[in-house]
Amino acid sequence: MKKLLVVAMASVMALTLAGCKGGAKASGKKQPLNISVFTIQQRQQPPADNKMYKWLEEKFGVTFNWDILVGDKDQKIGVLIASGDLPDLVEVDSEKFQGAGCLIDIKPLVEKYCPNIMKHYASVWNQIVDQDSEKDEKGNIVKEHVYSLPNYGVIDGADQNTFFNGNAFWIQKCVLKEFGYPTIKTVDQFFDLIEAYAKKYPTINGAKTLPFTIITADWEAFNLWNPPNFLAGYPNDGNGHVEKQGDKYVYVDNFTDDNAKRWFKLANGYFQRGLIDPESFTDNRDQYYAKVAQGRVLGMFIQGWQFQGDAENRIKTAGMYERTYAPLPITFDESIKPHYRDQSLPNLQRGYGFTVKCGEKKAIQILQFLDELMTDENQKMLQWGIEGEDWQKDAQGRPSRTDEQRKQQEDNNWILKNKATLLQEEAPKLEGSYSDGYATTMNNLPWEFQLSQKPIDIELWNAYGVASYAALVDANPPKNAGWYPMWQCNPSAENGGLEHDAAVAMTGFETVQRKYLPMMIMGKPSDFDKTWDEYCALLKPLTKTYNQFMQTQLDHRVEVFGGIKD
């Protein structure tokens, strides 16, 4: 995800920056500033009387126009690029906008105008620059750039996080409770457990119980092909994993190795037992998450952040807390050590990109606004809410919430009217601790964390001897390797040479996967080996090209940032 910039971009940048030469000088008076934003967050438009957006307007003079994704993400991005009808900001989740010359380089602007942002990103600034910079074929930086700022993963002060929202085999808490909180370490144990529960309770709230579902719609289809990586004990390096072969680190894709075959053959067996929902392969996003929100999906392999907002909040609002989910770090067998939880890492090439339509002058104004938001006072407003309404100090002088205020944090309707979620999700933010030592997220304050838990959570943690779901996955995750994570290096078709070829190959193998993996899972067991062989024959020429490119990225990252950390 990076590299050689198209020549056209240099021309666009030169024209844009020249047209805005002189920039904007800081002014004591807050002038009205309307910011147009394209976001792939599929949320509702905030109402006009949203409390937090009204505060932003009153204090900073800032308002927003949100273009919220509807339909296919890549198609929408393609339309924006082709038409040139760009907003001020676009949510970045790949190199598409950058490679098409749609973004301006904000590195010099951030360094000049944003002291708070620079302080926040100081420990990872070199990684941010390395990710976005123009490089030669050997990976050496030719010209430094920054096109977006990480939305998550940069910790200020002590990391007080108790939350887990990463990859796992998630299971309804009531399933674990039903069978006395058994120890579940392997994938067979997981599916045996949900099968036993589904047989005992074939319906939930009058609808058919679904033991296991897989989201395969649109960009979330990675959940279809990612399980083998984790079941084999590798961390989330995306489409592949890294092996140490002698003195060299080698990138290997996850798609045609023995681990992939082992998982899909197991999945075929689970399907034959009626454990995998066949509609997984035809449901769209809304249909998939509606089933989750109904409380009738017992298990799924997914990243927590994908469902822990709207879908799980709807379960909570309905009072079905025991049907919310716990993460299990399972593997193929007990000889394999799981690696699901990482230490915090910067979410590179994510967040907001500033478009050429925005231009330098307005970009400076927006960056100065975002920089002001990075003070403790303003972050507490965004993350904790208004003192006296959303929280208050207890008898000991500590920030706290009432039971009613805690319930509001799980109510989608309340959140829509009272929080600036669309902005906060992608903007730079403080994580970890404020300068006064308090956790940036109120739920991570030790006393609030305890009071906000439901009886089912306390009971589950006590049964497994942990104090949080993060600890249930891994109380002491290993240090991240210097190259990690390799998914940040996925190729962009907008660049030339091997990277272009690798991006075309990646599109090609995803097409093959979407066709053949459902066939493997739902097909006759006697046809599995034949389908697998056809799949591998189509995939291996594509992954060969992809792996060559990813190896160059791995070599560069190891050289610059190192390998496995002790």
Side-chain angles (χ1 to χ4, degrees):
M1 285 177 142
K2 70 221 76 346
K3 318 306 162 255
L4 302 174
L5 298 178
V6 293
V7 175
M9 181 163 186
S11 300
V12 172
M13 282 291 299
L15 290 171
T16 301
L17 299 181
C20 299
K21 192 172 181 180
K25 295 182 179 179
S27 170
K29 184 179 179 180
K30 300 296 182 185
Q31 298 296 326
L33 177 65
N34 179 261
I35 305 172
S36 57
V37 188
F38 165 66
T39 177
I40 65 174
Q41 299 178 58
Q42 292 178 309
R43 303 178 184 273
Q44 295 182 59
Q45 286 280 356
D49 61 349
N50 175 286
K51 178 171 69 179
M52 201 53 58
Y53 286 114
K54 287 184 68 176
W55 171 75
L56 290 169
E57 182 177 9
E58 291 168 1
K59 182 169 183 177
F60 302 100
V62 174
T63 55
F64 295 88
N65 287 337
W66 297 101
D67 180 4
I68 299 174
L69 175 66
V70 176
D72 183 80
K73 178 190 71 172
D74 291 337
Q75 182 179 16
K76 172 67 174 181
I77 291 175
V79 169
L80 287 172
I81 291 172
S83 68
D85 187 16
L86 299 163
D88 298 316
L89 306 181
V90 291
E91 182 178 340
V92 172
D93 80 328
S94 72
E95 204 179 53
K96 287 185 173 67
F97 286 114
Q98 174 184 333
C102 295
L103 304 182
I104 66 172
D105 178 12
I106 59 172
K107 180 179 181 290
L109 306 184
V110 173
E111 291 173 338
K112 182 175 182 179
Y113 295 102
C114 302
N116 295 324
I117 289 176
M118 285 299 299
K119 179 182 177 182
H120 172 64
Y121 290 119
S123 64
V124 298
W125 190 245
N126 288 342
Q127 291 173 261
I128 297 171
V129 173
D130 183 81
Q131 184 74 15
D132 283 352
S133 290
E134 182 180 355
K135 296 182 174 70
D136 63 23
E137 292 183 356
K138 295 183 179 180
N140 300 312
I141 293 178
V142 176
K143 187 174 183 181
E144 293 185 345
H145 301 287
V146 171
Y147 292 103
S148 61
L149 299 170
N151 55 352
Y152 281 103
V154 181
I155 304 301
D156 300 276
D159 187 353
Q160 304 186 51
N161 188 32
T162 57
F163 189 60
F164 182 77
N165 67 350
N167 289 281
F169 278 81
W170 296 82
I171 192 168
Q172 285 191 347
K173 298 164 189 174
C174 58
V175 178
L176 297 172
K177 179 178 181 178
E178 182 71 25
F179 297 103
Y181 298 105
T183 299
I184 305 297
K185 293 186 176 182
T186 72
V187 66
D188 278 336
Q189 292 169 349
F190 178 91
F191 277 91
D192 287 347
L193 192 68
I194 60 177
E195 180 179 40
Y197 189 93
K199 286 180 177 179
K200 194 170 184 179
Y201 302 101
T203 62
I204 295 173
N205 298 328
K208 181 182 177 182
T209 300
L210 300 174
F212 193 81
T213 60
I214 308 168
I215 183 162
T216 63
D218 196 17
W219 57 271
E220 292 177 276
F222 60 83
N223 295 284
L224 173 60
W225 48 77
N226 274 5
N229 180 64
F230 292 93
L231 292 172
Y234 294 110
N236 184 19
D237 266 314
N239 291 330
H241 60 271
V242 176
E243 298 178 355
K244 187 76 178 293
Q245 297 180 7
D247 294 329
K248 185 174 178 61
Y249 292 101
V250 178
Y251 182 87
V252 181
D253 71 86
N254 294 325
F255 301 142
T256 59
D257 63 3
D258 291 341
N259 295 319
K261 186 174 184 179
R262 184 177 182 181
W263 160 244
F264 289 110
K265 197 158 194 174
L266 284 170
N268 178 269
Y270 302 142
F271 182 83
Q272 304 306 323
R273 288 158 57 181
L275 302 181
I276 297 179
D277 180 13
E279 293 179 353
S280 294
F281 309 107
T282 55
D283 280 345
N284 60 32
R285 293 187 75 258
D286 291 342
Q287 292 168 324
Y288 177 88
Y289 288 112
K291 290 177 178 178
V292 175
Q294 290 162 5
R296 62 190 183 104
V297 175
L298 303 183
M300 50 189 170
F301 173 87
I302 197 170
Q303 296 193 21
W305 57 265
Q306 294 175 261
F307 71 88
Q308 286 170 332
D310 182 73
E312 196 168 51
N313 280 344
R314 285 159 66 185
I315 298 175
K316 294 175 180 177
T317 301
M320 299 187 291
Y321 291 100
E322 294 192 353
R323 297 208 177 278
T324 57
Y325 294 87
L328 296 181
I330 62 177
T331 54
F332 282 123
D333 58 62
E334 294 191 35
S335 70
I336 300 171
K337 183 179 180 180
H339 191 155
Y340 284 78
R341 187 182 176 203
D342 305 321
Q343 294 192 6
S344 292
L345 54 90
N347 202 22
L348 302 180
Q349 215 159 58
R350 297 295 188 269
Y352 290 127
F354 291 69
T355 72
V356 293
K357 204 72 172 283
C358 175
E360 185 187 62
K361 180 177 180 180
K362 191 170 185 180
I364 292 170
Q365 294 174 314
I366 296 172
L367 283 167
Q368 288 175 324
F369 161 65
L370 294 176
D371 193 68
E372 287 189 84
L373 290 184
M374 292 294 283
T375 66
D376 281 12
E377 176 187 0
N378 292 328
Q379 285 291 299
K380 284 181 179 178
M381 179 68 78
L382 288 167
Q383 300 200 51
W384 290 5
I386 297 175
E387 184 175 2
E389 291 184 29
D390 306 316
W391 65 279
Q392 55 282 316
K393 293 178 180 177
D394 62 14
Q396 297 172 262
R398 305 175 306 184
S400 66
R401 287 182 174 138
T402 64
D403 286 341
E404 182 60 30
Q405 288 168 338
R406 294 183 194 105
K407 289 179 182 177
Q408 290 172 344
Q409 303 300 313
E410 300 172 348
D411 184 333
N412 287 336
N413 291 326
W414 185 90
I415 292 170
L416 182 64
K417 296 175 183 178
N418 292 275
K419 302 193 82 169
T421 308
L422 284 170
L423 171 65
Q424 186 67 4
E425 279 293 308
E426 298 303 319
K429 62 183 67 61
L430 298 182
E431 296 179 80
S433 305
Y434 294 120
S435 58
D436 57 15
Y438 288 130
T440 54
T441 301
M442 187 164 282
N443 282 350
N444 283 335
L445 296 170
W447 52 93
E448 271 302 303
F449 179 70
Q450 290 296 322
L451 291 170
S452 65
Q453 304 313 309
K454 306 302 182 214
I456 184 66
D457 299 308
I458 302 299
E459 182 180 316
L460 188 152
W461 294 342
N462 287 339
Y464 291 111
V466 298
S468 69
Y469 288 110
L472 181 65
V473 175
D474 191 342
N476 296 293
K479 291 182 179 179
N480 300 323
W483 72 76
Y484 188 75
M486 287 301 296
W487 57 260
Q488 292 179 338
C489 299
N490 272 338
S492 172
E494 284 75 23
N495 294 325
L498 179 59
E499 181 170 4
H500 173 273
D501 295 343
V504 173
M506 185 169 70
T507 300
F509 64 64
E510 288 185 3
T511 300
V512 174
Q513 289 170 306
R514 289 174 186 272
K515 177 181 178 181
Y516 275 85
L517 298 184
M519 290 168 59
M520 277 184 231
I521 293 172
M522 296 191 293
K524 295 178 182 179
S526 59
D527 291 339
F528 181 86
D529 287 338
K530 178 184 176 183
T531 305
W532 172 261
D533 290 342
E534 290 179 5
Y535 164 78
C536 290
L538 292 168
L539 214 65
K540 285 184 177 180
L542 300 170
T543 55
K544 180 180 180 180
T545 301
Y546 176 80
N547 291 351
Q548 287 175 344
F549 170 75
M550 294 300 285
Q551 185 65 49
T552 67
Q553 305 312 301
L554 174 61
D555 292 343
H556 170 76
R557 284 195 164 200
V558 170
E559 181 181 355
V560 177
F561 302 115
I564 295 173
K565 308 292 185 182
D566 295 327

